[in-house]
Every structure is written in structure tokens, then in C-alpha cells.
Amino acid sequence: MKLRESEVFELETPKHVVSLATSGMLVSTDIRVWSATRQNNEISNEVTRSKKASEKAGRFVQNLLADNKRHRDIKLYRATIDNWHRRKTFQWNKGQSYVFTSDLQEYMEEWREHKAEFERLVENFCLQYPHIVSKMAFDNSGQGEMFDRSHYPSVEEVKSRFKCDIFVSEVPECDPRCEIAHDLMYDLKDNFAIQCSEKIDAMVQQQTDMLIEVMQSLVNTCGGVQEYKVNGVTKTRNSPISERTLTKAIDYCKRFKKYTLVDSDANRKLQSAIKLLDDTLIGVDIKTLRESDLVRDNVKSNIEDILDKLDF
């Protein structure tokens, strides 16, 4: 149904949509690593025939580089970037994550550092690639009789199969001026409201899960005891406390207390936990935490109270 000009309505954006749109940005990463594998049908058929099985019963995937260390380092660093990205952002949809404006500058600076390191690893690998391929021809260190030089792409092609990019976009505010019927207009408004409420609730829950995890890690390390033997005599010592865990807890307090997108019971509970944890860690550094039983016991006790008081 087409409305007359006098009946055209402007779709009003829910307030929490505007809040999300003005409080952060959407980011997505595109990190690709050459798999260095190929399906070897000849060997697959050879194995299935020797076992009197159907050719479709199995397949042999050939690792062209035999788990070369330089190539493995790139794969491991991709996982490092992925873990960092998940820690610094909040899930928006399958391909995008949400970064608050207050965190965006720091996020982009750290991203540039990760990208530079990724590209350095790729460059070093590609410089060594011809030598690595030659090494695969030897029986005792590479592909043995499976080696076939035609299976290996050129250096230029290999380099093109690595990628480390980021895409930043605004949060869509959904503010069209459309000639739509009343029912459709209200359906769209309700749908936008539900979707954005779900996103905000998910962000609060993700923050809560991250905070609980780091608090439990601090409790476990501050209260843990390890046994060891010296000349046959069993002794005990405090469990090692990771500086990374303490740094992560302080970072969460600093970041999360700035996020006030929604006034809800869950967010109030989270903000209360953040304040209590922040107060507990004021003046606490890794050296003091490791060397002082009093400080360690106080941190452990306070965090246990936070977890119990807020029923985490």
C-alpha cells in the first residue's frame, strides 16, 4: 500500500540504538594464513585400496611443510591476535565486534603493533620459503617420496595467501524516511528495539563473565600452595602469581567502569563488582602481591567476598 505524502512517517530510532551508535564503532578483522596443505588423492586411493575399502572411505591430507617452525609461528600469532581481539571487544554479530569509543584509540594502536609483527613473521617465512621447499625433498626431514615440486606455489603466490586487515564502520542507526504502512513501521521499531536490547545485554554478560574469570584466577593463585622436594624433604611454597592476570584485572576495572549504556540490575551488579575489585587492587603491584602474605591474603579474602556478596 502506498501512502499519500501527508501520511509518510519518519521511523523513530529507539534511544538505546542511538546510544550504541554514538558510544562505539564496529570492527572486523580479516586474518588469513596459507594452510600449506593439500589433499593427495593418489595416496588416499593407495591406502583405501590396500585396506579393501571404498575410495570415499578416507582421504590423506598432505602437510607440505611438515609443520615447519616459521610457518607454525605465523599460525600461532594469528591465534594470539584473535585472542587479543576477543578480549578487547564485544561480540556484535558473526563478522563484527563492538569497540567503545573510549577504547578505540588504544585498540587501533595495539592492532597496528600486531599487524606489524604478523607481517614481519610472514616476510621472514617467505624469505626462507625456497630453502624450506628444498628441504622437504630430503627423505629424513621432509616429504620423502611424497615430494613433488609442482605441489608448491611460488613465493609471490604464497605471500598473497597471507592477510592481516581490519575494517572499521559505524553502528547503523536505522533512521530511514520510508513510505510504509503503520503496522510495518511499528514492527520495524519493535524489531530494532529487541535487537539492540539483546546486544547490550550480551555485552554486559560478556563483561561479567570476563570479570568473574579474572577474579577466580586471582583467588586461586593468591590462595594456592605448591609442594616440592629438596633432598627428599617435602616443602611448600605459594603458587606463582601471573603478572598478566593482575594486569588484566586492573585493565578490566579501568575499561568496564566507563561503560554505562544501560541501567539494569545486571549492569548495576557488574558496576558494583568493578568498584569493589578496583578498591581492592588500589596500590597493589605484582612484586607486593608475590612477596607479602598479608597483601595476598587480603586480596584473596576481598575478592571472595565480592564473588559471594554479588552471587557470582
Side-chain angles (χ1 to χ4, degrees):
M1 179 181 71
K2 184 175 179 64
L3 299 179
R4 295 190 301 273
E5 183 176 355
S6 60
E7 296 176 317
V8 175
F9 296 91
E10 179 181 351
L11 185 62
E12 182 180 343
T13 309
K15 291 182 179 179
H16 46 269
V17 179
V18 177
S19 181
L20 278 176
T22 56
S23 299
M25 303 286 283
L26 298 181
V27 295
S28 59
T29 59
D30 184 8
I31 306 173
R32 303 178 193 177
V33 174
W34 177 44
S35 68
T37 60
R38 69 180 298 276
Q39 184 175 336
N40 193 315
N41 293 325
E42 182 181 347
I43 296 178
S44 298
N45 295 338
E46 180 182 329
V47 172
T48 53
R49 280 198 301 268
S50 69
K51 298 298 182 181
K52 299 180 180 180
S54 166
E55 291 182 354
K56 296 181 179 180
R59 64 178 182 174
F60 181 83
V61 177
Q62 187 176 349
N63 187 343
L64 295 175
L65 302 180
D67 200 29
N68 173 264
K69 183 181 184 305
R70 289 181 184 271
H71 184 261
R72 185 170 68 251
D73 286 346
I74 300 174
K75 293 192 292 184
L76 290 174
Y77 199 73
R78 175 181 60 182
T80 296
I81 298 176
D82 288 339
N83 291 333
W84 162 83
H85 175 75
R86 282 193 291 270
R87 194 168 63 248
K88 287 289 187 177
T89 64
F90 300 94
Q91 186 176 4
W92 182 262
N93 55 37
K94 187 175 181 180
Q96 293 177 300
S97 299
Y98 186 87
V99 178
F100 282 90
T101 303
S102 56
D103 293 335
L104 191 57
Q105 181 176 347
E106 180 180 323
Y107 174 89
M108 292 304 298
E109 289 174 355
E110 294 181 9
W111 163 260
R112 283 189 283 271
E113 292 174 2
H114 283 303
K115 179 179 174 66
E117 176 62 13
F118 181 88
E119 291 177 346
R120 185 190 69 80
L121 292 171
V122 171
E123 185 65 27
N124 288 343
F125 167 74
C126 289
L127 287 173
Q128 293 295 317
Y129 177 69
H131 172 70
I132 295 169
V133 173
S134 297
K135 189 178 179 182
M136 291 299 107
F138 292 101
D139 292 346
N140 62 345
S141 60
Q143 297 292 317
E145 295 181 359
M146 295 189 301
F147 180 81
D148 185 335
R149 187 62 183 83
S150 66
H151 294 165
Y152 294 83
S154 66
V155 175
E156 292 73 19
E157 185 177 351
V158 166
K159 194 169 185 178
S160 70
R161 296 189 185 184
F162 293 93
K163 192 173 186 180
C164 187
D165 289 330
I166 191 170
F167 302 94
V168 181
S169 60
E170 295 181 346
V171 178
E173 293 193 36
C174 305
D175 188 22
R177 291 177 179 268
C178 304
E179 295 183 0
I180 53 178
H182 287 77
D183 290 344
L184 178 57
M185 180 185 71
Y186 290 117
D187 285 346
L188 287 172
K189 287 173 61 178
D190 290 343
N191 186 53
F192 293 152
I194 292 171
Q195 287 182 350
C196 289
S197 293
E198 290 174 349
K199 295 295 183 187
I200 292 173
D201 291 344
M203 288 179 190
V204 172
Q205 186 58 54
Q206 186 177 343
Q207 292 173 51
T208 302
D209 292 342
M210 293 165 71
L211 198 70
I212 291 173
E213 181 181 16
V214 78
M215 285 196 292
Q216 289 175 337
S217 293
L218 282 172
V219 167
N220 292 337
T221 54
C222 287
V225 175
Q226 288 185 335
E227 291 186 352
Y228 66 102
K229 289 188 177 182
V230 178
N231 298 326
V233 179
T234 300
K235 297 186 177 183
T236 61
R237 61 187 173 195
N238 294 323
S239 297
I241 299 175
S242 169
E243 184 173 5
R244 182 180 177 182
T245 300
L246 178 61
T247 301
K248 188 186 294 185
I250 294 172
D251 176 60
Y252 287 169
C253 290
K254 178 183 176 182
R255 289 170 54 205
F256 294 173
K257 64 185 178 183
K258 296 182 293 185
Y259 306 156
T260 55
L261 279 176
V262 63
D263 182 21
S264 66
D265 290 340
N267 195 47
R268 284 191 291 272
K269 183 177 176 180
L270 171 65
Q271 292 300 321
S272 177
I274 291 168
K275 185 179 186 311
L276 292 171
L277 179 61
D278 194 30
D279 291 343
T280 297
L281 297 180
I282 289 177
V284 175
D285 57 36
I286 191 63
K287 185 175 185 295
T288 305
L289 198 58
R290 287 172 175 169
E291 297 178 356
S292 172
D293 291 340
L294 179 62
V295 172
R296 194 165 47 251
D297 290 343
N298 182 60
V299 169
K300 177 177 180 292
S301 176
N302 285 353
I303 294 178
E304 286 177 334
D305 287 344
I306 296 171
L307 291 168
D308 290 340
K309 184 183 299 183
L310 299 175
D311 194 27
F312 281 146

